Amino acid sequence: MSVVAKGLLVPEAVRLHAPPRADAEWNAGDLGCGELVLDLRKRLRAMPGGVIKVISLDPGATEDLPAWCRLTRNELVHHDPGAKSFWIRSRADWD
């Protein structure tokens, strides 16, 4: 089941379970979407199958990162809006 929060469809699994253990953590600060996803792609590519915790202060990240994950076949496994944190599992096939 999904819930609409602030106009976004957030899968129940992403909202309800505890965050996974992260293999890496990156505080992206207030980087905008363009710079954020370019740097995130490099980081994820270096850790196939791993989980990174991303902290982003960019107000657009709440919409941009879930959409980017869907488009790039990376998995958003948890989102904590209060902490402005996203746990993303890198796809295994970066060929």
Side-chain angles (χ1 to χ4, degrees):
M1 180 175 172
S2 297
V3 171
V4 176
K6 293 186 181 181
L8 301 173
L9 190 62
V10 179
E12 186 174 32
V14 171
R15 291 181 306 103
L16 295 181
H17 65 77
R21 182 187 64 77
D23 300 304
E25 184 172 319
W26 175 43
N27 186 339
D30 60 358
L31 280 179
C33 177
E35 291 175 275
L36 175 69
V37 297
L38 287 174
D39 200 349
L40 179 58
R41 181 182 184 278
K42 285 190 275 188
R43 291 168 187 269
L44 289 172
R45 190 177 178 109
M47 53 186 293
V51 173
I52 187 170
K53 176 183 176 186
V54 179
I55 302 164
S56 176
L57 304 179
D58 176 28
T62 302
E63 295 179 26
D64 295 340
L65 284 178
W68 183 83
C69 286
R70 284 190 304 275
L71 290 170
T72 59
R73 298 186 347 258
N74 292 291
E75 179 187 4
L76 175 63
V77 291
H78 189 76
H79 174 218
D80 181 346
K84 301 181 184 297
S85 299
F86 303 81
W87 284 257
I88 300 170
R89 183 178 319 281
S90 176
R91 69 183 207 220
D93 62 335
W94 283 97
D95 298 334

